[in-house]
Short mmCIF file of all heavy atoms in Angstrom, two decimals:
data_model
loop_
_atom_site.label_atom_id
_atom_site.label_comp_id
_atom_site.label_asym_id
_atom_site.label_seq_id
_atom_site.Cartn_x
_atom_site.Cartn_y
_atom_site.Cartn_z
N ARG A 1 0.83 -1.20 0.00
CA ARG A 1 0.00 0.00 -0.01
C ARG A 1 0.87 1.25 0.00
O ARG A 1 0.60 2.21 -0.74
CB ARG A 1 -0.92 -0.03 1.22
CG ARG A 1 -1.77 1.22 1.38
CD ARG A 1 -2.58 1.18 2.65
NE ARG A 1 -3.09 2.50 2.99
CZ ARG A 1 -3.66 2.80 4.17
NH1 ARG A 1 -3.80 1.86 5.09
NH2 ARG A 1 -4.09 4.02 4.41
N LEU A 2 1.91 1.24 0.82
CA LEU A 2 2.80 2.39 0.88
C LEU A 2 3.48 2.65 -0.46
O LEU A 2 3.57 3.79 -0.93
CB LEU A 2 3.84 2.18 1.97
CG LEU A 2 4.85 3.33 2.15
CD1 LEU A 2 5.04 3.65 3.63
CD2 LEU A 2 6.20 2.98 1.54
N LEU A 3 3.95 1.58 -1.11
CA LEU A 3 4.64 1.76 -2.39
C LEU A 3 3.69 2.25 -3.47
O LEU A 3 4.09 2.97 -4.39
CB LEU A 3 5.31 0.45 -2.80
CG LEU A 3 6.50 0.04 -1.92
CD1 LEU A 3 7.08 -1.30 -2.39
CD2 LEU A 3 7.59 1.11 -1.90
N ALA A 4 2.43 1.84 -3.38
CA ALA A 4 1.43 2.37 -4.32
C ALA A 4 1.25 3.87 -4.11
O ALA A 4 1.13 4.63 -5.09
CB ALA A 4 0.10 1.64 -4.13
N GLU A 5 1.26 4.32 -2.87
CA GLU A 5 1.17 5.75 -2.58
C GLU A 5 2.39 6.49 -3.08
O GLU A 5 2.30 7.62 -3.59
CB GLU A 5 1.00 5.97 -1.07
CG GLU A 5 -0.29 5.42 -0.47
CD GLU A 5 -1.50 6.24 -0.88
OE1 GLU A 5 -1.33 7.41 -1.29
OE2 GLU A 5 -2.63 5.70 -0.79
N VAL A 6 3.56 5.85 -2.93
CA VAL A 6 4.80 6.46 -3.42
C VAL A 6 4.75 6.61 -4.94
O VAL A 6 5.14 7.65 -5.50
CB VAL A 6 6.02 5.63 -2.98
CG1 VAL A 6 7.30 6.12 -3.67
CG2 VAL A 6 6.18 5.71 -1.47
N THR A 7 4.26 5.56 -5.62
CA THR A 7 4.15 5.63 -7.06
C THR A 7 3.20 6.73 -7.50
O THR A 7 3.49 7.50 -8.43
CB THR A 7 3.65 4.27 -7.62
OG1 THR A 7 4.57 3.25 -7.24
CG2 THR A 7 3.51 4.30 -9.12
N ALA A 8 2.08 6.87 -6.79
CA ALA A 8 1.11 7.92 -7.13
C ALA A 8 1.69 9.31 -6.90
O ALA A 8 1.40 10.25 -7.66
CB ALA A 8 -0.16 7.73 -6.30
N ARG A 9 2.52 9.45 -5.89
CA ARG A 9 3.07 10.78 -5.57
C ARG A 9 4.26 11.14 -6.42
O ARG A 9 4.41 12.28 -6.86
CB ARG A 9 3.45 10.78 -4.06
CG ARG A 9 4.26 12.00 -3.61
CD ARG A 9 3.44 13.28 -3.69
NE ARG A 9 4.17 14.42 -3.15
CZ ARG A 9 5.12 15.08 -3.80
NH1 ARG A 9 5.46 14.72 -5.03
NH2 ARG A 9 5.71 16.10 -3.23
N PHE A 10 5.15 10.18 -6.70
CA PHE A 10 6.42 10.49 -7.35
C PHE A 10 6.51 9.96 -8.77
O PHE A 10 7.44 10.33 -9.50
CB PHE A 10 7.59 9.91 -6.54
CG PHE A 10 7.77 10.57 -5.20
CD1 PHE A 10 7.22 10.01 -4.05
CD2 PHE A 10 8.51 11.74 -5.07
CE1 PHE A 10 7.39 10.59 -2.82
CE2 PHE A 10 8.68 12.35 -3.84
CZ PHE A 10 8.12 11.77 -2.71
N GLY A 11 5.61 9.06 -9.17
CA GLY A 11 5.70 8.45 -10.46
C GLY A 11 6.89 7.51 -10.60
O GLY A 11 7.34 7.23 -11.71
N ALA A 12 7.42 7.06 -9.48
CA ALA A 12 8.56 6.15 -9.47
C ALA A 12 8.15 4.88 -8.74
O ALA A 12 7.76 4.93 -7.57
CB ALA A 12 9.75 6.80 -8.75
N ALA A 13 8.23 3.77 -9.46
CA ALA A 13 7.81 2.50 -8.88
C ALA A 13 9.01 1.78 -8.29
O ALA A 13 9.85 1.23 -9.02
CB ALA A 13 7.13 1.64 -9.94
N VAL A 14 9.12 1.77 -6.98
CA VAL A 14 10.20 1.04 -6.28
C VAL A 14 9.72 -0.39 -6.05
O VAL A 14 8.61 -0.61 -5.56
CB VAL A 14 10.55 1.72 -4.95
CG1 VAL A 14 11.60 0.92 -4.19
CG2 VAL A 14 11.04 3.14 -5.20
N GLY A 15 10.55 -1.35 -6.42
CA GLY A 15 10.17 -2.74 -6.25
C GLY A 15 10.07 -3.13 -4.79
O GLY A 15 10.78 -2.62 -3.93
N ILE A 16 9.15 -4.05 -4.49
CA ILE A 16 8.94 -4.48 -3.12
C ILE A 16 10.20 -5.15 -2.55
O ILE A 16 10.52 -4.99 -1.38
CB ILE A 16 7.73 -5.43 -3.01
CG1 ILE A 16 7.37 -5.73 -1.55
CG2 ILE A 16 7.97 -6.73 -3.78
CD1 ILE A 16 6.73 -4.60 -0.85
N ARG A 17 10.94 -5.87 -3.41
CA ARG A 17 12.15 -6.51 -2.92
C ARG A 17 13.19 -5.46 -2.53
O ARG A 17 13.90 -5.62 -1.53
CB ARG A 17 12.71 -7.44 -4.00
CG ARG A 17 11.77 -8.60 -4.34
CD ARG A 17 12.36 -9.49 -5.43
NE ARG A 17 11.45 -10.54 -5.81
CZ ARG A 17 11.68 -11.42 -6.76
NH1 ARG A 17 12.82 -11.37 -7.43
NH2 ARG A 17 10.79 -12.35 -7.07
N GLN A 18 13.29 -4.43 -3.32
CA GLN A 18 14.24 -3.36 -3.00
C GLN A 18 13.86 -2.68 -1.69
O GLN A 18 14.72 -2.33 -0.88
CB GLN A 18 14.29 -2.34 -4.14
CG GLN A 18 15.30 -1.21 -3.91
CD GLN A 18 15.34 -0.24 -5.08
OE1 GLN A 18 14.66 -0.43 -6.08
NE2 GLN A 18 16.14 0.81 -4.95
N PHE A 19 12.55 -2.49 -1.49
CA PHE A 19 12.10 -1.83 -0.28
C PHE A 19 12.43 -2.66 0.96
O PHE A 19 12.76 -2.12 2.02
CB PHE A 19 10.59 -1.57 -0.35
CG PHE A 19 10.04 -0.83 0.85
CD1 PHE A 19 10.42 0.47 1.12
CD2 PHE A 19 9.15 -1.45 1.71
CE1 PHE A 19 9.93 1.15 2.23
CE2 PHE A 19 8.64 -0.80 2.82
CZ PHE A 19 9.04 0.51 3.07
N PHE A 20 12.35 -3.98 0.84
CA PHE A 20 12.68 -4.83 1.99
C PHE A 20 14.14 -4.69 2.39
O PHE A 20 14.48 -4.87 3.55
CB PHE A 20 12.34 -6.30 1.69
CG PHE A 20 10.96 -6.69 2.11
CD1 PHE A 20 9.86 -6.45 1.30
CD2 PHE A 20 10.74 -7.29 3.35
CE1 PHE A 20 8.59 -6.82 1.69
CE2 PHE A 20 9.47 -7.66 3.75
CZ PHE A 20 8.39 -7.42 2.93
N THR A 21 15.00 -4.39 1.44
CA THR A 21 16.43 -4.24 1.77
C THR A 21 16.76 -2.83 2.23
O THR A 21 17.82 -2.61 2.82
CB THR A 21 17.31 -4.60 0.56
OG1 THR A 21 17.01 -3.70 -0.53
CG2 THR A 21 17.04 -6.03 0.12
N GLY A 22 15.88 -1.87 1.96
CA GLY A 22 16.12 -0.49 2.40
C GLY A 22 14.85 0.13 2.90
O GLY A 22 14.29 1.03 2.26
N PRO A 23 14.34 -0.30 4.06
CA PRO A 23 13.00 0.09 4.48
C PRO A 23 12.93 1.35 5.34
O PRO A 23 12.13 1.45 6.27
CB PRO A 23 12.54 -1.13 5.30
CG PRO A 23 13.80 -1.62 5.95
CD PRO A 23 14.91 -1.34 4.97
N THR A 24 13.79 2.35 5.06
CA THR A 24 13.73 3.62 5.79
C THR A 24 13.40 4.73 4.81
O THR A 24 13.56 4.60 3.59
CB THR A 24 15.05 3.95 6.49
OG1 THR A 24 16.05 4.25 5.51
CG2 THR A 24 15.52 2.77 7.36
N VAL A 25 12.94 5.85 5.34
CA VAL A 25 12.62 7.01 4.49
C VAL A 25 13.85 7.46 3.74
O VAL A 25 13.80 7.77 2.54
CB VAL A 25 12.04 8.15 5.37
CG1 VAL A 25 12.00 9.45 4.58
CG2 VAL A 25 10.64 7.78 5.87
N ALA A 26 14.99 7.52 4.43
CA ALA A 26 16.20 7.98 3.79
C ALA A 26 16.61 7.07 2.63
O ALA A 26 16.98 7.53 1.55
CB ALA A 26 17.34 8.05 4.82
N GLU A 27 16.51 5.75 2.84
CA GLU A 27 16.88 4.81 1.78
C GLU A 27 15.89 4.86 0.63
O GLU A 27 16.28 4.76 -0.55
CB GLU A 27 16.97 3.40 2.36
CG GLU A 27 18.14 3.21 3.31
CD GLU A 27 18.06 1.92 4.10
OE1 GLU A 27 16.98 1.64 4.67
OE2 GLU A 27 19.08 1.20 4.17
N LEU A 28 14.61 5.01 0.95
CA LEU A 28 13.61 5.08 -0.11
C LEU A 28 13.78 6.37 -0.91
O LEU A 28 13.66 6.38 -2.16
CB LEU A 28 12.21 4.99 0.49
CG LEU A 28 11.03 4.90 -0.49
CD1 LEU A 28 11.22 3.73 -1.45
CD2 LEU A 28 9.73 4.77 0.26
N ALA A 29 14.06 7.48 -0.25
CA ALA A 29 14.28 8.75 -0.96
C ALA A 29 15.48 8.65 -1.88
O ALA A 29 15.46 9.18 -3.01
CB ALA A 29 14.47 9.87 0.06
N ALA A 30 16.52 7.97 -1.44
CA ALA A 30 17.71 7.81 -2.27
C ALA A 30 17.44 6.95 -3.48
O ALA A 30 18.11 7.09 -4.53
CB ALA A 30 18.84 7.22 -1.43
N ALA A 31 16.47 6.04 -3.39
CA ALA A 31 16.17 5.13 -4.50
C ALA A 31 15.22 5.73 -5.51
O ALA A 31 15.06 5.19 -6.62
CB ALA A 31 15.56 3.84 -3.95
N LEU A 32 14.58 6.86 -5.19
CA LEU A 32 13.56 7.43 -6.08
C LEU A 32 14.09 7.85 -7.45
O LEU A 32 13.48 7.54 -8.48
CB LEU A 32 12.87 8.61 -5.40
CG LEU A 32 11.90 8.26 -4.26
CD1 LEU A 32 11.34 9.54 -3.63
CD2 LEU A 32 10.76 7.38 -4.76
N PRO A 33 15.23 8.57 -7.53
CA PRO A 33 15.68 9.01 -8.86
C PRO A 33 15.93 7.85 -9.82
O PRO A 33 15.50 7.90 -10.99
CB PRO A 33 16.98 9.77 -8.55
CG PRO A 33 16.81 10.23 -7.14
CD PRO A 33 16.07 9.13 -6.47
N ALA A 34 16.60 6.81 -9.35
CA ALA A 34 16.88 5.67 -10.21
C ALA A 34 15.59 4.96 -10.60
O ALA A 34 15.45 4.50 -11.74
CB ALA A 34 17.84 4.70 -9.51
N ALA A 35 14.66 4.86 -9.66
CA ALA A 35 13.39 4.19 -9.96
C ALA A 35 12.59 4.98 -10.98
O ALA A 35 11.95 4.41 -11.88
CB ALA A 35 12.58 4.00 -8.68
N ALA A 36 12.62 6.30 -10.89
CA ALA A 36 11.89 7.13 -11.85
C ALA A 36 12.50 7.04 -13.23
O ALA A 36 11.79 7.03 -14.25
CB ALA A 36 11.88 8.57 -11.37
N ALA A 37 13.84 6.95 -13.28
CA ALA A 37 14.53 6.89 -14.58
C ALA A 37 14.34 5.53 -15.25
O ALA A 37 14.15 5.44 -16.46
CB ALA A 37 16.01 7.19 -14.39
N ALA A 38 14.41 4.49 -14.46
CA ALA A 38 14.34 3.13 -15.02
C ALA A 38 12.91 2.68 -15.27
O ALA A 38 12.68 1.77 -16.07
CB ALA A 38 15.05 2.14 -14.10
N GLY A 39 11.96 3.28 -14.59
CA GLY A 39 10.58 2.83 -14.71
C GLY A 39 10.40 1.52 -13.96
O GLY A 39 11.20 1.15 -13.12
N ALA A 40 9.37 0.81 -14.28
CA ALA A 40 9.07 -0.44 -13.58
C ALA A 40 10.09 -1.49 -13.95
O ALA A 40 10.52 -1.58 -15.09
CB ALA A 40 7.68 -0.93 -13.93
N THR A 41 10.46 -2.31 -13.00
CA THR A 41 11.32 -3.46 -13.25
C THR A 41 10.44 -4.68 -13.46
O THR A 41 9.31 -4.76 -12.99
CB THR A 41 12.26 -3.72 -12.06
OG1 THR A 41 11.48 -4.14 -10.95
CG2 THR A 41 13.04 -2.47 -11.70
N ALA A 42 10.99 -5.64 -14.15
CA ALA A 42 10.21 -6.86 -14.43
C ALA A 42 9.93 -7.65 -13.18
O ALA A 42 9.04 -8.49 -13.16
CB ALA A 42 10.97 -7.72 -15.43
N GLN A 43 10.68 -7.36 -12.13
CA GLN A 43 10.50 -8.13 -10.90
C GLN A 43 9.47 -7.51 -9.97
O GLN A 43 9.20 -8.06 -8.91
CB GLN A 43 11.85 -8.26 -10.16
CG GLN A 43 12.86 -9.10 -10.91
CD GLN A 43 14.15 -9.23 -10.13
OE1 GLN A 43 14.40 -8.49 -9.19
NE2 GLN A 43 14.97 -10.19 -10.51
N ASP A 44 8.92 -6.36 -10.35
CA ASP A 44 7.91 -5.77 -9.49
C ASP A 44 6.73 -6.71 -9.36
O ASP A 44 6.30 -7.31 -10.36
CB ASP A 44 7.40 -4.45 -10.07
CG ASP A 44 8.35 -3.31 -9.77
OD1 ASP A 44 9.18 -3.49 -8.86
OD2 ASP A 44 8.24 -2.26 -10.42
#
C-alpha cells in the first residue's frame, strides 16, 4: 500500500524486494531518482 502511494506521488515504482532491503525514508528517498529513470522493473 505504501509503495502504491509512493508511485502515485512520485511516479517512481520502487520494487517491493528493493524496499525490503532499504525500508527507511532515507533509503527510499535515495532510491527514487533511479526508480523514476528506469521505470518499472520486471520483478515488481
Side-chain angles (χ1 to χ4, degrees):
R1 176 184 164 191
L2 179 135
L3 292 178
E5 295 288 341
V6 171
T7 300
R9 170 66 175 79
F10 293 95
V14 176
I16 189 73
R17 296 179 184 178
Q18 182 178 358
F19 182 66
F20 268 84
T21 61
T24 70
V25 167
E27 290 168 312
L28 186 55
L32 288 177
T41 68
Q43 293 182 344
D44 279 343

